[in-house]
Amino acid sequence: MNSNVSKPAHSWRPRTKAVRGGLSRTNFSETAEAMFMTSGYVYGSAEEAEASFDGTLDRMVYSRFKNPTVATFETRLAEMEGVPEGMNIACRATASGMAAVHAALLCQLRAGDRVVASKALFGSCHWIINELLPRYGVERVFVDGTDLAAWETALAKPTTCVFLETPSNPTLEIIDLAAVCELAHKAGAKVVVDNVFATPILQSPFELGADIVAYSATKHMDGQGRCLGGAVLGSPEFCNDVLGPFLRNTGPALSPFNAWVLLKGLETLDLRMERHCANALQVARFLETRPEVARVIYPGLESHPQHQLARRQMKGWGSIVAIELTGGKSSAYKLLNGVELIDISNNLGDAKSLMTHPWTTTHQRLAPEDKLAMGISEGLVRLSVGLEDADDLVEDLGRALES
Ligand SMILES: *Cc1c(COP(=O)(O)O)cnc(C)c1O
């Protein structure tokens, strides 16, 4: 086989797709994915340019629409995402996770539509649903994502979209995806899942009935704190006819450089998630033994209220641990200021362990009653467990808690 021709990916297993999916070599037969840092493309003739714009010729015309490196990232991610037998999905990359969530919702909503969302959401996702959608005449209803009866009541009326995040940020609530998708589809709604905490390695929302999946690639996909990125996955019809024109004309395009970095990140995502999960479980089990800690929230702990559900719908528990300290904000600050190895940072999914105080950082702008309704108290600390030696992390946390 010619080394420049991309190989058929359909029969590969997920780990192979993560390393080779979408690879299409240039005439130089390079090993690694080529990086096409170009905004535009040239035409051999005026006729060729015309044909490229009227659609008779399928080729690159402008990197806001399509770029070879970005397209490789999109193909690889689409191939990595778990789907039910016979389902086809496509992927569109965006400049950030928030651009992905914004586009996934706004591309399909119009005045008069209705959205039902879980209330435990990443701060900016909450802002889009709560502040932005009503400006455009979209009705929004928030429910406790873990309460199926609340979903049932909210979805008793015709609904356009359901938006949810599971596990949620930062309180790690687990939502029953299969049950909510069934209720949503009966109400005529498309289900959009923010799958950032789980990644395609740990959870496959399409297999549980989701219609659209959104990612921040900034988090575990890059996983090394280098660049922003995002992606939306859905049916080819949705990606081509609904999402495609929205992205093309509003312009949240992913840089080819960032797409290249993220492609290399996808190659090791599976390996890294395995270590993230093992480290996080060890750290969570240690924290559970500490008297300074009122509560440890981690889906892998038997004490997690949706532990059995997480076991059913996830393949691993993830990298994030939430810690509720007995002494409120002052104890939270003592822990943050006391750790030496773990950094204070609001990012997550990084190789480096990072810790933040959601009340005063990621969720600062929410009203206190909204924070409390989401389970965020002043004593809550979110820990993104990295790839260091877990024994070093445990020692660091132990020292900081004692002081
Ligand atoms: C970080 C994050 C986002 C936003 O992603 P950005 O790349 O920072 O724009 C959305 N949802 C969740 C759950 C996140 O953690």
Side-chain angles (χ1 to χ4, degrees):
M1 185 194 265
N2 183 333
S3 63
N4 299 333
V5 175
S6 52
K7 301 176 186 181
H10 52 269
S11 60
W12 289 339
R13 291 166 183 82
R15 285 178 186 145
T16 307
K17 288 175 174 171
V19 176
R20 292 178 174 270
L23 181 62
S24 159
R25 294 187 165 117
T26 74
N27 290 337
F28 294 113
S29 304
E30 64 284 347
T31 310
E33 295 70 11
M35 195 199 310
F36 291 90
M37 284 304 293
T38 184
S39 47
Y41 307 86
V42 299
Y43 309 95
S45 66
E47 288 78 8
E48 193 186 336
E50 182 184 356
S52 307
F53 273 79
D54 73 16
T56 41
L57 191 63
D58 182 20
R59 51 156 287 170
M60 304 279 165
V61 295
Y62 193 51
S63 286
R64 170 151 51 76
F65 310 167
K66 205 171 176 185
N67 170 281
T69 312
V70 176
T72 305
F73 170 69
E74 292 169 336
T75 305
R76 183 167 298 177
L77 191 52
E79 286 176 2
M80 287 172 70
E81 187 72 35
V83 293
E85 188 76 23
M87 182 182 188
N88 274 326
I89 54 158
C91 171
R92 293 297 174 103
T94 55
S96 69
M98 283 324 303
V101 169
H102 175 254
L105 290 168
L106 272 287
C107 76
Q108 55 177 320
L109 290 171
R110 58 205 69 226
D113 283 351
R114 183 169 189 272
V115 172
V116 177
S118 57
K119 62 183 171 212
L121 294 177
F122 182 68
S124 293
C125 297
H126 190 271
W127 185 88
I128 288 182
I129 310 260
N130 197 42
E131 305 274 338
L132 189 64
L133 294 186
R135 284 189 209 170
Y136 297 96
V138 176
E139 183 195 350
R140 83 283 192 249
V141 178
F142 284 106
V143 298
D144 172 352
T146 62
D147 181 355
L148 275 181
W151 283 106
E152 197 167 357
T153 308
L155 291 168
K157 278 201 220 165
T159 301
T160 323
C161 255
V162 160
F163 182 81
L164 61 89
E165 188 180 303
T166 180
S168 70
N169 180 7
T171 49
L172 305 164
E173 288 180 11
I174 309 288
I175 297 174
D176 189 333
L177 278 170
V180 171
C181 288
E182 201 183 316
L183 290 168
H185 291 155
K186 275 192 210 142
K190 292 250 185 295
V191 180
V192 182
V193 176
D194 179 334
N195 203 32
V196 171
F197 272 36
T199 79
I201 304 298
L202 303 183
Q203 181 168 269
S204 304
F206 289 112
E207 291 179 354
L208 300 161
D211 302 285
I212 293 146
V213 173
Y215 286 111
S216 164
T218 316
K219 308 295 168 55
H220 307 83
M221 288 183 193
D222 172 21
Q224 289 152 86
R226 299 164 295 192
C227 65
L228 296 172
V232 182
L233 294 94
S235 72
E237 299 72 40
F238 171 77
C239 288
N240 292 333
D241 305 339
V242 183
L243 178 64
F246 184 90
L247 292 176
R248 182 180 169 124
N249 294 302
T250 60
L254 179 64
S255 154
F257 179 81
N258 289 3
W260 183 84
V261 172
L262 295 170
L263 267 167
K264 304 316 279 177
L266 290 182
E267 292 182 355
T268 58
L269 183 61
D270 177 80
L271 276 173
R272 288 184 288 109
M273 288 316 292
E274 207 175 299
R275 172 71 67 82
H276 276 302
C277 291
N279 279 2
L281 185 62
Q282 185 178 331
V283 165
R285 289 213 190 283
F286 164 73
L287 290 168
E288 262 196 328
T289 66
R290 297 296 308 206
E292 305 87 348
V293 177
R295 189 171 159 223
V296 185
I297 312 172
Y298 186 63
L301 296 177
E302 292 73 13
S303 60
H304 189 287
Q306 293 101 34
H307 174 67
Q308 289 307 329
L309 172 60
R311 188 176 280 284
R312 262 187 282 132
Q313 80 180 16
M314 299 179 73
K315 299 178 192 89
W317 318 112
S319 62
I320 313 295
V321 179
I323 310 157
E324 176 98 51
L325 293 148
T326 44
K329 182 176 170 183
S330 67
S331 300
Y333 272 36
K334 257 187 225 151
L335 177 60
L336 283 157
N337 293 330
V339 285
E340 288 167 13
L341 168 62
I342 299 168
D343 293 304
I344 303 174
S345 172
N346 48 285
N347 198 9
L348 60 89
D350 199 279
K352 295 179 175 62
S353 291
L354 308 173
M355 197 149 62
T356 197
H357 184 240
W359 185 280
T360 51
T361 61
T362 51
H363 292 69
Q364 188 191 109
R365 282 159 204 276
L366 293 178
E369 58 273 19
D370 285 342
K371 295 186 222 195
L372 292 171
M374 291 163 105
I376 301 168
S377 70
E378 291 197 69
L380 189 82
V381 168
R382 184 189 76 192
L383 171 60
S384 169
V385 181
L387 306 179
E388 302 95 338
D389 192 307
D391 291 341
D392 287 329
L393 297 173
V394 161
E395 275 173 27
D396 195 36
L397 288 162
R399 251 195 319 263
L401 285 169
E402 250 154 49
S403 64

